[in-house]
Amino acid sequence: MNKSHSQQSDSEKLQFSGFISPTFSNVNSLTYQKPSEGIPLYSFNVDRRRLGIPSAASDWIGEKSESEFESKFESEFESKFESEFETEFESEFGSFGRTSIPNSGWRPRGVLVQHLEEHRSTVNEIAVSSDNSFFATASDDSTVKIWDSKKLEKEILLKSKLTYHVEGNRALCVAIVQNSSQVVVGSCNGFIHMFSVDNYSGNELKCNTKEGAVINLLNCHVDNHSIMYSTQNCGIHLWDIRSNSNNWSLKSNLDEGYILSLASGTCSNWFVSGSSRGVITLWDLRFLLPVNSWKYFHECPIEKICHFIPSINASLTSTTKPLVYVAAGCNEVSLWNAENGTCHQVLRTFNYEGDAEMSHTALAESSSKANSQSDERRKINRKYRVDELNEPPRHYRLPGIRTLLSLPGGDLLTGGTDLKIRRWDHYSPERSYCVCGPNLKGVGNDFFYKTESSSGVEVVQETKRHPFATKLTQKAILAAAATDSGGCHRDSIVSLASVKLNQRLLLSSGRDGAIKVWK
């Protein structure tokens, strides 16, 4: 198969639901080169001494043939990797990670356990500590609150154990340093705050990024003392909390907008960024260079990206591939292989307002036409819109998914503007369901999930069994939520997390300022 034919095939696969063919980035004159067959570009880093493998191959091989050596190496490496992989899964996701194989795993029922409402404005993000002992919430009310996870099932009216004030600035994001009690907060004035829950009174640290608002924080898998963050002025940095300095800094293209979301895999070789103008980029952490980049249609913001977590029974190659879920566009999430920009699956929620905002059919245009329109838009508006963060507000864009929570085995939890939390089953899409949400006109969860194929891509569509007599608006959904007996959110859901106690609990937060705990 020649190169042109291969590119044509990729283009055909992406001509659905507003997606356009990927284009390889030429930033910094980088030329993308496809890896050799059978050798993944983003493979797991092997510490030979840690695995008990002699440093010199000749010490091990002796008089054995090279093929025998390779067979022994692969067998011992895979067995030890799987053991370490299971341990890592269990420490991060709890014991349910061991049973996260297709058609099984954690399935929250949507029973409300706690309703926490100390915040007075949007709760932008929830972060849970590595040992699940506490979690932090960052809000537009200029505070970060610390909650004791162990009391979630014991106290009826749970109060926060600590409140950190961000000096009158909105707390946009929060992260907890791995295996520690240190909380890192990103604010809208460009400062990064850090404090310790164990020693709050004397361990506060502030760092001025001088690049506008800190949009996103991400724990880095390279070590336990670094936090990756993105800024309003298109910067991506790795901050060493021990030295209070940046280990490295990257700059994305100004015309592509600021970085709204970051995601990385456990192999520490790559991370993926999504911008406010719909650009998704795969970065190589070893060389700090962009490897691949492609663009969503109509420059729709990349609301959220999260790493696809395979089953522990998956092959070594599949666990190291840069597979990511991307929330963008109108009411949908898609699964991408960031290495080559191909889409594998699309998850679409029911659109209560029909085709009012965006027609999927109208967006299925050719790659050349889409690129041409994009170029024309760039010529008209060359000035970088520094006020994008505030105008329009981040959660008033196209209706759709605003937050993702990836589960081991490839399954996914989503929340968004329709106030619903859904659990998507990757291997058996028909088993997907709505965890919680407003009861609309007494029909409850009158939905099913059907699977179709569009240009070779699996599309999972949420469909209503009995159509509504009249078209529902966002105003009607909010009105239904105000009287919902199940205690759903009353405005857009913007963050999801989970905490493992005697049982695993789901945490959600929204623009209504509430934090809800579900089982």
Side-chain angles (χ1 to χ4, degrees):
M1 182 182 295
N2 57 38
K3 183 177 181 181
S4 60
H5 182 76
S6 176
Q7 290 177 346
Q8 181 181 0
S9 176
D10 288 341
S11 175
E12 291 175 353
K13 288 185 178 181
L14 294 173
Q15 289 179 21
F16 71 99
S17 181
F19 296 115
I20 63 176
S21 298
T23 55
F24 295 113
S25 174
N26 290 320
V27 181
N28 297 330
S29 301
L30 173 70
T31 301
Y32 175 78
Q33 295 182 355
K34 186 177 180 180
S36 302
E37 291 296 330
I39 303 177
L41 181 60
Y42 300 97
S43 58
F44 196 91
N45 286 328
V46 181
D47 187 336
R48 300 175 63 88
R49 289 174 296 181
R50 184 181 174 188
L51 293 176
I53 302 172
S55 58
S58 58
D59 293 340
W60 189 1
I61 298 176
E63 298 179 355
K64 294 183 179 182
S65 65
E66 183 177 351
S67 60
E68 288 176 321
F69 161 69
E70 291 176 351
S71 176
K72 181 176 180 180
F73 175 81
E74 291 176 0
S75 176
E76 295 200 12
F77 170 71
E78 288 183 2
S79 63
K80 293 189 178 184
F81 172 80
E82 288 175 1
S83 176
E84 292 186 5
F85 195 58
E86 290 179 7
T87 302
E88 181 179 355
F89 262 49
E90 190 152 316
S91 64
E92 186 169 353
F93 299 101
S95 59
F96 83 104
R98 288 187 175 275
T99 59
S100 295
I101 56 177
N103 302 323
S104 68
W106 176 47
R107 300 180 68 84
R109 293 174 289 141
V111 178
L112 188 63
V113 176
Q114 286 279 0
H115 174 84
L116 312 176
E117 51 180 356
E118 289 188 19
H119 286 292
R120 301 186 307 277
S121 187
T122 302
V123 180
N124 293 307
E125 191 164 21
I126 304 172
V128 181
S129 63
S130 301
D131 61 0
N132 292 278
S133 62
F134 71 94
F135 62 94
T137 55
S139 173
D140 279 354
D141 65 6
S142 303
T143 66
V144 175
K145 292 184 179 291
I146 306 300
W147 309 82
D148 190 341
S149 302
K150 298 176 183 178
K151 296 182 179 179
L152 286 175
E153 297 176 300
K154 298 178 181 179
E155 296 188 10
I156 298 177
L157 298 175
L158 180 63
K159 301 295 182 182
S160 61
K161 59 184 293 187
L162 187 154
T163 298
Y164 180 85
H165 296 271
V166 195
E167 302 173 350
N169 296 286
R170 291 181 296 150
L172 300 181
C173 48
V174 63
I176 300 175
V177 180
Q178 296 181 63
N179 303 317
S180 78
S181 62
Q182 293 175 304
V183 179
V184 182
V185 185
S187 65
C188 67
N189 68 340
F191 274 87
I192 294 178
H193 302 248
M194 187 179 75
F195 62 91
S196 174
V197 173
D198 294 336
N199 186 23
Y200 174 65
S201 59
N203 194 25
E204 179 187 356
L205 180 65
K206 289 189 292 184
C207 171
N208 188 356
T209 67
K210 299 180 181 179
E211 291 190 11
V214 179
I215 308 297
N216 197 261
L217 291 169
L218 178 69
N219 271 304
C220 188
H221 292 286
V222 175
D223 59 63
N224 293 334
H225 305 284
S226 298
I227 294 289
M228 193 183 299
Y229 67 93
S230 63
T231 64
Q232 189 176 1
N233 291 343
C234 302
I236 305 175
H237 310 272
L238 187 69
W239 183 46
D240 190 324
I241 63 176
R242 294 165 297 185
S243 61
N244 190 24
S245 62
N246 287 327
N247 284 343
W248 50 256
S249 298
L250 301 171
K251 196 78 171 180
S252 59
N253 192 331
L254 211 63
D255 285 335
E256 295 177 353
Y258 57 83
I259 302 301
L260 265 177
S261 185
L262 297 168
S264 67
T266 55
C267 68
S268 307
N269 284 339
W270 58 268
F271 73 93
V272 177
S273 64
S275 80
S276 60
R277 296 188 182 180
V279 178
I280 306 168
T281 304
L282 171 67
W283 300 81
D284 192 313
L285 267 173
R286 297 165 296 185
F287 306 104
L288 300 181
L289 290 172
V291 176
N292 187 23
S293 182
W294 69 99
K295 190 177 182 65
Y296 259 66
F297 198 83
H298 274 314
E299 300 186 351
C300 54
I302 306 300
E303 304 288 355
K304 192 71 175 179
I305 296 179
C306 72
H307 178 218
F308 174 92
I309 305 175
S311 165
I312 59 174
N313 298 324
S315 64
L316 177 61
T317 302
S318 62
T319 61
T320 57
K321 282 185 178 180
L323 298 175
V324 290
Y325 280 114
V326 178
C330 186
N331 296 308
E332 68 180 32
V333 179
S334 48
L335 176 62
W336 293 81
N337 182 346
E339 187 174 346
N340 51 27
T342 56
C343 184
H344 295 277
Q345 188 181 52
V346 175
L347 311 174
R348 287 182 184 161
T349 66
F350 183 81
N351 189 357
Y352 293 98
E353 300 187 28
D355 55 358
E357 265 75 19
M358 183 179 293
S359 170
H360 294 295
T361 304
L363 297 181
E365 303 185 20
S366 66
S367 172
S368 58
K369 183 177 181 180
N371 285 327
S372 174
Q373 290 182 351
S374 178
D375 292 340
E376 288 300 319
R377 283 194 294 270
R378 291 188 178 189
K379 291 179 182 178
I380 294 173
N381 187 11
R382 296 291 299 178
K383 183 179 179 181
Y384 177 58
R385 295 173 288 181
V386 295
D387 292 329
E388 283 180 337
L389 186 63
N390 300 313
E391 297 177 2
R394 291 180 300 155
H395 309 309
Y396 279 120
R397 294 192 283 259
L398 288 174
I401 305 301
R402 292 292 183 267
T403 179
L404 307 173
L405 178 61
S406 189
L407 304 176
D411 297 342
L412 184 71
L413 286 166
T414 64
T417 58
D418 64 0
L419 320 188
K420 289 188 175 184
I421 299 175
R422 295 173 174 85
R423 187 192 188 282
W424 302 87
D425 195 302
H426 175 65
Y427 291 99
S428 301
E430 69 279 0
R431 299 184 69 230
S432 302
Y433 66 97
C434 177
V435 176
C436 59
N439 190 341
L440 298 170
K441 295 190 176 181
V443 296
N445 291 327
D446 187 28
F447 293 93
F448 68 98
Y449 296 82
K450 63 179 182 179
T451 303
E452 300 176 347
S453 179
S454 178
S455 301
V457 178
E458 183 183 65
V459 179
V460 181
Q461 176 68 61
E462 182 183 54
T463 306
K464 199 172 185 304
R465 289 187 173 89
H466 304 93
F468 291 115
T470 59
K471 184 184 297 185
L472 285 179
T473 63
Q474 184 68 19
K475 184 177 180 180
I477 295 175
L478 295 176
T483 58
D484 182 75
S485 59
C488 70
H489 282 280
R490 299 189 177 185
D491 207 334
S492 299
I493 300 171
V494 297
S495 184
L496 293 174
S498 70
V499 59
K500 180 69 170 66
L501 302 171
N502 294 325
Q503 60 180 323
R504 184 160 291 276
L505 299 176
L506 174 64
L507 310 176
S508 64
S509 68
R511 292 190 66 252
D512 55 3
I515 304 159
K516 294 181 181 289
V517 185
W518 313 86
K519 66 178 181 180

